[in-house]
Amino acid sequence: MLRGVRLRRGPLRVAIAKAIEAAPGLKFTGIQAYQGAMQHLERYEDRKAKLDAAIAQVEEAVEALKKEGLEPEVVSGGGTGSYYFESGSGVYNELQCGSYAFMDADYGRILDKDGKRIDKGEWKNALFILTSVMSHTKADKAICDAGLKAQSVDSGLPFVYGRDDVQYVKCSDEHGVIEDPKGVLKINQRLRLVPGHCDPTCNVHDWYVGIRNGKVETLWPVSARGKAY
């Protein structure tokens, strides 16, 4: 069964749905209308404007399919940066939000309708890289043991959780550089980093370590780790 098709302009989407429905062993079930390009736009108003236009296209597609007797059972879309628009539209019946469960630095920077970072109220960070300070030979800089091999920086660098007096500013393969202007960090001190992009950061680790009330409660294997094929 082919569940659905990605949204396309004009008659093509109807033609594709008809072809699916007519093919042996296939059944048209719905459309995939996830709007990824606007998920990380910082301003709420900018995301809304993009989604208003996208939702209008989705409505048009659904109506066109209905006229051909191919009403979609599933209209799927939505993300951590936009779920409120899709869920309130009356058009979508499935949401694909995922990053909200962990949050990351990139999503955390976007703003809600009140102009607040979404990781300061709407969601909370739940995914951290535990790192240790390895060196502090320069008074204003510390070196930690979390570099490129511990995280993905495709969406930006991590930030040090719960601290505004130090800042992660650079990374190499094995190490990270943390600005420490007041020299407050100590050798072996542990810090929690919120990765820039949660998805590909999880991909480079073997285990999730579940913590509750400061104690390790569970270990979850990253089951797809290393399985590229």
Side-chain angles (χ1 to χ4, degrees), residues 15 86 90 93:
E86 287 94 346
N93 57 19

Side-chain angles (χ1 to χ4, degrees), residues 193-228:
L193 304 179
V194 174
H197 193 178
C198 59
D199 312 33
T201 293
C202 295
N203 185 62
V204 297
H205 292 270
D206 295 320
W207 298 89
Y208 297 107
V209 181
I211 307 291
R212 193 192 302 271
N213 297 324
K215 294 183 178 180
V216 174
E217 184 172 294
T218 187
L219 295 174
W220 296 331
V222 181
S223 56
R225 167 81 158 129
K227 295 179 173 61

